[in-house]
């Protein structure tokens, strides 16, 4: 039985600063993809209007990620997950509906999934996907509700939608980087063979060709130079999103239960310390910091 919430009481998605920053920090990858799509379109046809049409259709293509059927396919491709079994759904759905009722959200807007992982985890993806691992299903009801409330917080703040769009729009740029990297490896492999058989000229030519490929990629996509610099900022914005989802769950009354879950995670970490580089590039804050913020009511 689905939870029915009057339309005027339903809580909508309100992108927060973390979601907005995720979109802004993803602009270099978007621009790089734009150049790649334009180049491919130019190779297909020299007609200007055809190039503009292809580029325009690609820009508009992000809208298909809002289609539920497409989102389900993408979610399957991005994550190793499946639909819940009847037994799993019998346990999961009432808890999800309880969370949505507390949040004044229509539970039927979202689809529930189970990730094929033995770890204790859950995640939100796209605009409708909520997934938990098989191990999470063994948690006490209030603990599982707290995790689901956290994932709902991601949806309500627009984090998962922004992440899916960023992933979609960076695909051409990632494909170009992969192709150029493969070409460089092949060229350098051939150059090393020339060097092994005493052909210094062939080795030098191969090395120069590899450098030309690299310079060409950067010349066509100068924004790629910003991507390594933006990685710590993107990770920081994702950590802010985690804090926001925690705060949202706490606002629904699941703060103490979420602290209990996180305390279990903290015990399992056995006090492991993360290096500065790992902390800067981590998409999730330290568990102890999340607990501290929740207890402080932030």
């Amino acid at each position: 039985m689905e939870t029915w919430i009057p339309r005027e009481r339903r809580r909508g998605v309100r992108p927060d600063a973390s979601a907005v920053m995720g979109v802004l920090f993803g602009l270099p990858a978007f621009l790089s993809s734009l150049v790649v799509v334009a180049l491919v379109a130019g190779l297909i046809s020299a007609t200007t209007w055809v190039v503009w049409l292809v580029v325009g259709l690609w820009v508009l293509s992000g809208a298909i990620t809002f289609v539920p059927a497409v989102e389900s396919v993408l979610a399957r491709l991005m994550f190793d997950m499946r639909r819940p079994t009847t037994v799993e759904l019998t346990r999961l759905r009432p808890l999800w509906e309880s969370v949505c009722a507390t949040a004044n959200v229509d539970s039927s807007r979202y689809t529930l999934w189970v990730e094929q992982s033995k770890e204790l985890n859950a995640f939100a993806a796209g605009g409708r996907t909520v997934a938990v691992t098989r191990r999470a299903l063994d948690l006490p009801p209030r603990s599982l509700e707290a995790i689901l409330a956290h994932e709902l917080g991601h949806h309500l703040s627009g984090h998962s939608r922004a992440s899916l769009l960023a992933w979609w729009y960076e695909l051409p740029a990632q494909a170009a980087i992969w192709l150029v990297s493969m070409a460089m490896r092949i060229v350098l492999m051939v150059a090393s063979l020339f060097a092994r058989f005493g052909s210094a000229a062939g080795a030098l030519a191969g090395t120069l060709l590899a450098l030309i490929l690299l310079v060409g990629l950067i010349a066509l996509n100068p924004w790629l130079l910003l991507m390594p610099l933006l990685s710590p900022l993107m990770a920081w914005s994702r950590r802010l999103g985690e804090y926001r989802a925690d705060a949202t769950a706490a606002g629904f009354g699941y703060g103490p239960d979420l602290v209990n879950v996180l305390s279990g995670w903290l015990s399992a970490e056995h006090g492991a310390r993360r290096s500065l580089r790992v902390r800067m590039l981590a998409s999730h804050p330290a568990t102890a910091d999340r607990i501290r913020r929740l207890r402080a009511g932030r």
Side-chain angles (χ1 to χ4, degrees):
M1 182 176 179
E2 295 179 350
T3 303
W4 182 82
I5 304 294
R7 185 176 297 275
E8 63 274 10
R9 290 180 53 212
R10 292 177 185 172
R11 185 189 298 265
V13 176
R14 297 180 180 178
D16 69 347
S18 174
V20 173
M21 284 189 292
V23 172
L24 291 177
F25 294 151
L27 281 178
F30 171 82
L31 293 174
S32 296
S33 291
L34 193 67
V35 172
V36 171
V37 172
L39 286 175
V40 173
L43 293 175
I44 296 173
S45 173
T47 308
T48 304
W49 71 266
V50 173
V51 174
W52 280 106
L53 177 62
V54 172
V55 171
L57 289 175
W58 175 76
V59 171
L60 295 175
S61 70
I64 71 172
T65 62
F66 289 80
V67 178
V70 174
E71 180 181 316
S72 295
V73 172
L74 293 177
R76 286 179 184 271
L77 292 175
M78 295 169 65
F79 307 101
D80 181 22
M81 63 185 195
R82 57 171 172 77
R83 294 285 190 176
T85 64
T86 302
V87 174
E88 291 169 340
L89 196 59
T90 300
R91 171 169 172 73
L92 190 57
R93 178 176 285 170
L95 301 180
W96 172 247
E97 291 182 352
S98 175
V99 170
C100 289
T102 302
N104 292 336
V105 169
D106 181 7
S107 62
S108 64
R109 289 180 51 198
Y110 302 92
T111 56
L112 299 173
W113 298 79
V114 174
E115 186 184 9
Q116 298 287 80
S117 172
K118 296 180 180 180
E119 296 182 1
L120 178 57
N121 202 0
F123 64 88
R128 301 170 179 83
T129 300
V130 176
V132 298
T133 59
R134 287 178 295 173
R135 186 178 172 190
L137 291 170
D138 296 329
L139 288 171
R142 285 291 297 184
S143 296
L144 184 51
E145 280 190 39
I147 291 178
L148 292 172
H150 172 92
E151 303 310 328
L152 179 60
H154 280 305
H155 277 302
L156 295 180
S157 297
H159 304 151
S160 49
R161 175 64 70 190
S163 295
L164 181 59
L165 281 174
W167 174 83
W168 177 264
Y169 280 125
E170 74 180 14
L171 283 178
Q174 294 290 350
I177 293 172
W178 182 83
L179 287 173
V180 172
S181 298
M182 289 300 296
M184 289 176 60
R185 288 182 182 180
I186 294 173
V187 169
L188 291 174
M189 187 182 303
V190 173
S192 67
L193 289 176
F194 277 118
R196 184 176 301 176
F197 290 102
S199 177
L204 179 61
T207 304
L208 289 175
L209 180 55
L211 289 175
I212 290 172
L213 287 172
L214 179 60
V215 172
L217 178 66
I218 295 175
L220 291 173
N221 297 274
W223 307 281
L224 291 176
L225 295 174
L226 295 175
M227 293 175 69
L229 300 176
L230 288 175
S231 294
L233 293 176
M234 294 179 71
W236 171 65
S237 70
R238 293 191 181 102
R239 292 195 295 273
L240 290 181
E242 292 300 320
Y243 287 134
R244 175 62 181 269
D246 283 347
T248 301
F252 296 153
Y254 293 101
D257 304 288
L258 192 56
V259 167
N260 289 336
V261 173
L262 292 173
S263 296
W265 290 357
L266 186 62
S267 299
E269 293 173 1
H270 302 294
R273 295 178 64 87
R274 301 189 295 181
S275 65
L276 177 61
R277 182 179 180 276
V278 170
R279 292 200 303 270
M280 288 181 63
L281 297 177
S283 60
H284 282 64
T287 306
D289 291 338
R290 293 176 64 182
I291 293 173
R292 193 178 303 112
R293 280 179 173 251
L294 280 168
R295 286 175 172 168
R298 293 187 290 167

